[in-house]
Each structure stands twice: as structure tokens, then as C-alpha cells.
Amino acid sequence: MSRSAHPAGPRHADVLTEGHYSAPPADLNSLDPKVWSSTVTRDKGGELTVGGLEVSRLAEEFGTPAYFLDETDFRARCRAWADAFGRDADVFYAGKAFLSRAVVRWLHEEGLNLDVCSGTELATALDAGMPAERIAFHGNNKSEAEIRRAVEAGVGRIVLDSFQEIVRVAHIAQELGTVQKAFIRVTVGVEAHTHEFIATAHEDQKFGIALADGQAAEAVRRALKLDGLELIGIHSHIGSQIFDMAGFEVSARRVVQLLAEVRDEHGVELPEIDLGGGLGIAYTSEDDPREPHEIATALSEIVTRECSAAGLRAPRISVEPGRAIVGPTAFTLYEVGTIKPLEGLRTYVSVDGGMSDNIRTALYDAEYSVSLVSRTSDAEPMLVRVVGKHCESGDIVVRDAFLPADLAPGDLIAVPATGAYCRSMASNYNHALRPPVVAVRDGSARVIVRRETEEDLLRLDVG
Ligand SMILES: *Cc1c(COP(=O)(O)O)cnc(C)c1O
């Protein structure tokens, strides 16, 4: 499948390439628990409910398109990750997947830590009361102002991404009369995606410092010398939507090798390693993600084995799941508009949102599923492509899926597993008003990020 990304989606000529779809599911009305959040079900009338609330009522109250986030499921996933990794490891939720003040409070209450990668993500986290020492600050181009803010706030760790940044952070910390705990982000030469990974010696990418050619060792050498820094560990993040642990195995082995070199050269055993995020979720019924406890066991076995081979004490492990926590907790609710059957091809179903609320299909050829949720239907399955209302033929939400043939304008359809990288990557293309995020729990629903309004847009446009 093509990974070429045009900023506005696939090139026009790419749009009608052969899709990927299997046979229609046996029952179009069934809701696969793999892709829907835990409180989603159909009521007696056949309507989808989340947290006990019917989608027609939710649509009436909050409008469409809108993201509905299952708070019960979100909190359960936080607990599952925290429990799986236990006391000897730290789970950092990657805020870039979806960040809001309510989410920060939930994370805090459930005992998780938080990754941020901009000054404004940091501001959101601090504003919502996340203790600074539980925040990690990432990014390949942190500004001096951002670094200063993070050091002043007392963030628990800054993940250093370049030689220049090592000096910059040390200098700012010293100026502020403090010592900043830090990790060095290394690139281990592993690129992992879904079921595959590529291991190479060199990496052509903007993040981190290469292990190759002794560069990461040199970075450690410099960081250990600087008074403003306390180097506590090595960080590696290898990809996204990963199902296969083999990439982590190679990455952990290479990171542990570096720890051993550091011990041999400096007599210092760095106490921590951070293996990053990227754990996969089910977007369709064909995906089979691992449970947090399986991932925790696998990672800890890998690290223990590599360390004992190198004669090192096993370091404290951090992980940074973003998608794996928030992704499955939300769905996007749309109202069906124009329906256009193309004889011998497929039926185009247009919804009232599109690439402005979910850019992932256009950007990464991401796959999603979709269901009719305002009612059930016994009609035959029809092959559809769910598209948005934007002026761009790459504006596709679900490339290939089946919906009942009696689908009609005004029906509500929902795309599950849109909790991660949808609202956080939403845009105002065509002056779309970005949809709200509504948290649902135990029969009540409340807006945690409100819908943008025309006034919001016009206020930014100063004329
Ligand atoms: C994006 C990112 C994550 C989270 O990735 P997910 O695929 O959402 O789990 C974690 N750590 C770093 C450094 C990242 O850049």
C-alpha cells in the first residue's frame, strides 16, 4: 500500500486504486467489541448506545459530526496499562494522540504520567493539574522559551533530541540554578510499522541521535560532563501501530548495548530506559492487538535477558502508549448526506465531516470500519466508500466498507477507534468548524472540548 503522503491527501490519480476489503461481515448489525469502546452496545430498538445513551439523543444534543469518548473505557485502559507495568515501570500517555484538560485529570487520577511535545501541550497539562515531575518533554526542535518553561515548571524529564539541545538544556538549567533530569533519544536503526520492521544501521529521519558511528555514545559523553544535566536514561521510539514485538527486541538490544558501553567507559550504569510508544490497536476486525499485560511481560523479558547478557542491572522501563490508550475509546458520529451509487464500482456515501476531522485515511491510507448506528437493517450489504464534504477527491474517511443497501440520508453512521490522532490532527479546511469531543460516562454526557463556532473562526481572521 502506498505510503506517499501529499499534504492534502493522496494525489487525485491515486484515489481510485484498488481498495482493500474482504467479504461483507456475516451480520452488518453486529458491533465488534475489538473496535468499539467497552460500553458500546445496541439497545432493544437496535440503536447504538454508549455509556447507556442513545446516539440519536446524543446527535440531537451535541450535533454531528462529533467525537464521543467513553470515559469508563479510557479509565479502564489507563488502569490496565498501569497494572500491567506495575511499580517497577512507568507509563507515560503520549498527549499528542489526544490532549484536553479533562483527559489530563483522568490520567492524573489513574496514576499515569504524561508526554508532551510542545510548550502549549505542556501548558495544558500544567493547567489541568498534572504534577510537573510526572511530565516528560519531547520534541526535535524545542525552542529556548519552551525549554525554559519546562525547566522552570520542574518537568520530570526532558528527552534530549540533538547535540545542540544537550548544551541548550544544560545551559538553561544552570542559569535557573537547577539540574534537569534528562534522557537522550537515540535512533536505533529500527523502523517498525504494523507487522513489519526494518532494521538498518543508519536512519534517515529528524528525530534523535544515531547509535551508528558512536554518535549516541558521544552524546552521552557530553551530557555526563554538563553540570545542568542529570542524565538518567536512554530513549528509543521505533514507530506506530505496531503488533509485532520483534522490532522492540532489536531496539532494546541496541539500547542495552549502549548502556553497557556507557558503563565500560564512564563507570556509570544509567538507571532507566524508555522504549517509546507505537503499540497497535484494532481499527478493523482484522487487527489483533496485544493486551497491555502481554506487552509488559514481553518488554520486561527482553530487557532482563539483554541486561543479564551484558552483566547490567535491569534498568527501570518506561513506555509511552498514546493510541493504545485513547484510540479505541472514541467514535465519530456522522449524519449521512448524499448517497451516490456508481454502477459496477461502489456507492459513495457522503457525511457531514471528512478529512477535517479524520485526516488519517488521506494521510496514511489508514483503514477504518463503519456501522449504521441509528437503527439496524436487514437489507443486503452494499460496498461503500465513506467520504467527507471537502473540496478534495482524497477526502475519504473509510476507503472500503459495507453498509446496508437501504441506507438513507439522515441515517447516523459511526466510525469507531477515532480517539487518537483525529481531533488532535483536525483542521479548518474549507473553514470547517472542528467537532466537539463529548465524554460519556454512566448515562451522562458532557462536552470536554466544545465545537468551534463561526465566531471562533472570524475572531482569528482580523480583517
Ligand atoms: C508518537 C509518540 C508516541 C506515541 O505513539 P502511539 O503510536 O500513539 O503509541 C510515544 N512516544 C513518542 C516519542 C512519540 O513520538
Side-chain angles (χ1 to χ4, degrees):
M1 196 174 282
S2 121
R3 293 276 149 223
S4 64
H6 182 279
R11 280 158 293 148
H12 293 213
D14 287 350
V15 169
L16 287 177
T17 51
E18 205 39 53
H20 168 86
Y21 58 91
S22 27
D27 178 6
L28 278 183
N29 298 316
S30 74
L31 298 170
D32 185 345
K34 271 207 293 196
V35 298
W36 293 92
S37 69
S38 63
T39 76
V40 164
T41 182
R42 283 196 196 266
D43 67 10
K44 286 199 197 80
E47 205 178 316
L48 183 145
T49 66
V50 55
L53 300 173
E54 290 173 340
V55 282
S56 59
R57 243 184 80 188
L58 292 170
E60 214 165 282
E61 185 170 352
F62 301 103
T64 56
Y67 308 98
F68 292 95
L69 200 169
D70 188 336
E71 181 181 343
T72 307
D73 192 40
F74 185 96
R75 287 178 181 272
R77 283 174 194 278
C78 288
R79 284 195 292 275
W81 278 89
D83 292 349
F85 281 83
R87 281 194 203 174
D88 303 325
D90 298 299
V91 180
F92 284 78
Y93 169 77
K96 69 181 196 221
F98 173 65
L99 193 67
S100 79
R101 289 187 283 194
V103 159
V104 174
R105 283 192 292 272
W106 302 342
L107 293 165
H108 187 191
E109 285 163 17
E110 302 300 341
L112 264 65
N113 308 285
L114 176 60
D115 270 0
V116 297
C117 51
S118 69
T120 35
E121 284 186 358
L122 175 62
T124 305
L126 293 172
D127 185 85
M130 180 59 86
E133 66 270 17
R134 280 168 51 190
I135 299 175
F137 189 29
H138 281 274
N140 67 299
N141 187 24
K142 307 172 188 79
S143 71
E144 285 203 16
E146 287 175 317
I147 294 168
R148 190 173 297 276
R149 190 170 190 177
V151 175
E152 266 172 347
V155 296
R157 55 180 69 169
I158 293 184
V159 181
L160 304 168
D161 203 88
S162 67
F163 283 100
Q164 287 172 345
E165 203 173 82
I166 291 172
V167 178
R168 210 172 276 158
V169 172
H171 181 74
I172 289 172
Q174 232 179 344
E175 234 178 53
L176 294 170
T178 183
V179 176
Q180 178 61 51
K181 287 203 169 82
F183 276 62
I184 289 176
R185 177 164 176 173
V186 301
T187 49
V188 294
V190 174
E191 195 198 312
H193 186 85
T194 313
H195 300 294
E196 286 153 29
F197 78 96
I198 309 165
T200 57
H202 296 272
E203 265 191 307
D204 189 2
Q205 60 143 310
K206 70 173 185 171
F207 290 110
I209 298 173
L211 277 181
D213 306 328
Q215 291 188 64
E218 175 59 21
V220 169
R221 206 169 288 137
R222 294 190 196 177
L224 285 174
K225 277 202 204 116
L226 293 167
D227 290 336
L229 291 181
E230 180 189 350
L231 184 65
I232 58 171
I234 301 297
H235 176 283
S236 155
H237 172 77
I238 54 171
S240 63
Q241 185 61 359
I242 305 167
F243 293 123
D244 184 345
M245 299 303 284
F248 285 102
E249 177 124 26
V250 178
S251 149
R253 185 176 314 135
R254 292 182 178 176
V255 168
V256 169
Q257 262 164 23
L258 176 63
L259 293 185
E261 283 172 40
V262 171
R263 177 209 43 205
D264 295 345
E265 183 179 339
H266 307 280
V268 175
E269 288 197 25
L270 296 178
E272 304 206 29
I273 65 173
D274 187 328
L275 294 173
L279 289 317
I281 62 166
Y283 284 106
T284 74
S285 296
E286 282 161 42
D287 295 326
D288 258 316
R290 303 215 181 180
E291 295 296 322
H293 68 88
E294 294 175 84
I295 294 163
T297 308
L299 289 182
S300 127
E301 273 173 15
I302 293 168
V303 172
T304 308
R305 180 172 1 103
E306 297 302 328
C307 284
S308 84
L312 285 164
R313 263 192 310 263
R316 190 176 176 84
I317 300 175
S318 293
V319 285
E320 306 175 320
R323 181 195 321 268
I325 291 177
V326 72
T329 66
F331 62 83
T332 313
L333 188 64
Y334 299 104
E335 184 177 311
V336 172
T338 308
I339 298 176
K340 198 179 282 183
L342 298 190
E343 207 53 53
L345 282 171
R346 56 174 61 75
T347 296
Y348 278 76
V349 174
S350 296
V351 294
D352 47 358
M355 66 194 296
S356 55
D357 58 73
N358 187 347
I359 190 67
R360 292 189 65 260
T361 307
L363 194 56
Y364 311 124
D365 280 337
E367 283 173 13
Y368 283 94
S369 64
V370 60
S371 292
L372 171 60
V373 292
S374 46
R375 62 187 173 92
T376 52
S377 164
D378 295 327
E380 289 298 302
M382 67 172 169
L383 179 63
V384 302
R385 176 162 290 170
V386 178
V387 296
K389 60 180 294 170
H390 296 286
C391 299
E392 165 73 47
S393 38
D395 173 25
I396 296 169
V397 180
V398 185
R399 189 170 298 273
D400 294 293
F402 290 91
L403 285 171
D406 64 351
L407 191 77
D411 278 331
L412 297 174
I413 62 175
V415 174
T418 58
Y421 306 108
C422 286
R423 180 59 180 81
S424 69
M425 293 178 121
S427 78
N428 291 117
Y429 184 40
N430 291 140
H431 283 200
L433 303 171
R434 287 176 297 174
V437 181
V438 180
V440 182
R441 183 187 180 182
D442 298 335
S444 68
R446 75 182 169 103
V447 173
I448 59 171
V449 178
R450 72 164 167 79
R451 186 185 301 282
E452 254 171 353
T453 62
E454 233 170 82
E455 296 78 74
D456 290 329
L457 277 191
L458 290 175
R459 204 175 298 138
L460 294 177
D461 179 341
V462 295

